[in-house]
Amino acid sequence: MKLNIAILPGDGVGPEVIAEAEKVLNSVGEKFKHDLAIEKGLIGGDSIDKMGTALPEETVKLCQTSDAVLFGAVGGPKWDSASAKVRPEDGILAIRKQLGLFANIRPVKAYKSLIHSSPLKSDLLTGVDMVIVRELTGGLYFSKPKKRWANKNGRQGVDTLRYSEKEIVRIMRVAFELALKRKCKVTSVDKFNVLETGRLWREIANEVGSQYPQVQLEHMLVDNAAMQLVRNPANFDVIVSENTFGDILSDEAAVLTGSMGMLPSASLSGVIAESTFTSKASLYEPIHGSAPDIQGKGIANPIAAILSMAMMLRYSFGLLDEASIVESAVEEVLYEGYRTADLVTDDSPVLSTSVMGDYISNKVKLL
Ligand code: IPM
Ligand code: MN
């Protein structure tokens, strides 16, 4: 099969972890005789430096003409001034919006062999296997007005939280379709008691839920959800939430897996038919950021990027065996005790980013 893939490494540890995902992808390509056509594009701070914009038109075109996009991370202190006119983050936000990637799928799985890497009590972590479905192109991140100004009362700022029925219906459908293939439970997260959008969110969750009688629907206020995630995480199956809530909850959920460096994600443009996801130029990215504090040290954990690549094989190309082999390779390498710095809990040796990538890539060849 021919796989046309755009790779956007971005800033900070982005290029370091994406290089390992590419290494593992090459192993998959060789093993299963796929023809990889990879093209790289600029995004984020790197692109601001070279092109004066966080998302050049060439990158948009490249993504639109590829089957899938693999993205690293953007941002860093160099571009962080409060008065900056362009920001690295604008690049990833704009490409999500331009490709219509409204559904961000963030699986959170606590690997048995990493249970001691999490600061939480290990008995809480047994059986943790959930997916956070984060709405990605609306809500507080994108709604207008969004601006800063000053008047006689001083400086002012506004962000807006707005949702249309259509936007909520389509993200709910993604959540319910996913739940059907899993443990048949959806937790819809909102702030029903305070926000109008929360009330609309809950109303529509009930309406869409009524079309899925097999799926249990529960509603949870976002503050309570933040607590339940660390109190009783094994109770969740599919969580569906507004953009900002999903951003915050998924960083919190990463603690369950032992490290931010473990969580992959897929940003999709929808569901088709009853149970298959569309494969139109979706984007795959680790949920962690550019981690400028460890940039260039070769110590970042590449697993989130590698697992994001596995999600790409599954959702964009329907290569289920290939995706499972990558996931099994990660699981086995962890089971054998190999750890990057973020995961080490005892005095076992610490693997560099690229050696971890080598181990997983070799494992793929062997499986
Ligand atoms: C994420 C990141 C991004 C977001 C930033 C880099 C804009 O935190 O993917 O979770 O907030 O969506
Ligand atoms: Mn985030």
Side-chain angles (χ1 to χ4, degrees):
M1 184 171 178
K2 176 141 193 205
L3 314 183
N4 287 309
I5 299 164
I7 295 193
L8 316 180
D11 309 318
V13 299
E16 300 168 38
V17 296
I18 287 297
E20 302 315 308
E22 205 179 332
K23 191 187 274 174
V24 180
L25 176 61
N26 281 321
S27 289
V28 171
E30 272 170 41
K31 186 182 174 92
F32 291 89
K33 312 256 176 305
H34 295 305
D35 182 9
L36 300 175
I38 293 174
E39 219 173 302
K40 302 249 162 86
L42 290 173
I43 194 166
D46 180 33
S47 173
I48 292 177
D49 290 349
K50 292 176 180 147
M51 314 284 288
T53 162
L55 183 68
E57 202 38 53
E58 297 87 80
T59 300
V60 177
K61 283 221 178 70
L62 169 67
C63 295
Q64 283 167 340
T65 53
S66 300
D67 301 325
V69 183
L70 188 59
F71 166 82
V74 286
K78 183 175 173 192
W79 307 281
D80 254 356
S81 139
S83 58
K85 291 218 167 57
V86 277
R87 292 173 183 285
E89 290 78 4
D90 297 342
I92 181 63
L93 296 177
I95 194 70
R96 287 171 181 168
K97 191 77 174 175
Q98 295 225 24
L99 296 177
L101 306 173
F102 68 86
N104 186 222
I105 315 286
R106 299 188 157 185
V108 182
K109 193 172 148 189
Y111 290 89
K112 266 210 185 84
S113 46
L114 286 186
I115 261 171
H116 297 292
S117 299
S118 172
L120 295 172
K121 288 196 187 112
S122 46
D123 55 330
L124 276 180
L125 299 173
T126 312
V128 167
D129 181 2
M130 71 182 92
V131 178
I132 298 176
V133 177
R134 169 187 175 195
E135 200 290 327
L136 202 60
T137 52
L140 198 50
Y141 270 54
F142 285 96
S143 313
K144 300 277 169 45
K146 182 183 211 51
K147 62 178 177 180
R148 287 270 301 264
W149 73 99
N151 60 21
K152 63 178 187 330
N153 297 319
R155 283 167 295 172
Q156 319 284 329
V158 64
D159 291 288
T160 305
L161 175 46
R162 179 193 302 265
Y163 268 117
S164 69
E165 173 172 357
K166 223 171 107 194
E167 287 174 304
I168 303 175
V169 167
R170 65 185 185 180
I171 194 70
M172 286 298 163
R173 283 199 59 218
V174 171
F176 280 95
E177 290 293 332
L178 255 180
L180 276 183
K181 292 189 261 171
R182 298 173 44 90
K183 293 176 274 178
C184 284
K185 181 173 174 188
V186 168
T187 304
S188 171
V189 169
D190 59 40
K191 190 69 187 174
F192 174 87
N193 51 351
V194 176
L195 301 176
E196 280 307 332
T197 45
R199 295 188 261 274
L200 182 64
W201 186 272
R202 192 172 288 204
E203 211 168 279
I204 294 174
N206 282 328
E207 288 162 13
V208 176
S210 69
Q211 296 158 21
Y212 293 85
Q214 317 87 310
V215 178
Q216 181 201 345
L217 168 64
E218 88 183 341
H219 301 285
M220 203 177 271
L221 296 174
V222 63
D223 44 356
N224 184 28
M227 180 172 70
Q228 298 306 331
L229 262 181
V230 284
R231 203 174 147 191
N232 213 348
N235 258 0
F236 291 104
D237 178 20
V238 175
I239 294 177
V240 59
S241 80
E242 187 267 333
N243 202 340
T244 320
F245 296 165
D247 180 46
I248 297 168
L249 294 178
S250 54
D251 268 35
E252 187 189 2
V255 176
L256 306 167
T257 69
S259 165
M260 277 289 279
M262 292 298 299
L263 286 206
S265 84
S267 302
L268 309 174
S269 55
V271 274
I272 47 167
E274 281 313 299
S275 57
T276 331
F277 288 91
T278 61
S279 57
K280 257 181 63 194
S282 302
L283 183 145
Y284 302 85
E285 56 171 310
I287 80 146
H288 64 71
S290 56
D293 51 323
I294 59 164
Q295 173 188 0
K297 296 189 176 155
I299 59 170
N301 183 351
I303 291 180
I306 292 168
L307 291 174
S308 300
M309 185 275 291
M311 292 185 86
M312 171 182 83
L313 295 173
R314 174 174 297 118
Y315 289 128
S316 280
F317 300 105
L319 298 173
L320 307 187
D321 289 345
E322 286 83 338
S324 300
I325 279 195
V326 173
E327 286 159 356
S328 304
V330 167
E331 202 155 350
E332 286 211 15
V333 163
L334 292 173
Y335 179 75
E336 286 165 12
Y338 299 110
R339 304 278 184 270
T340 40
D342 53 319
L343 297 173
V344 159
T345 48
D346 49 28
D347 47 8
S348 50
V350 176
L351 264 53
S352 70
T353 310
S354 80
V355 172
M356 181 56 110
D358 288 343
Y359 277 54
I360 295 169
S361 163
N362 290 334
K363 192 60 93 179
V364 163
K365 291 178 190 156
L366 291 173
L367 281 175

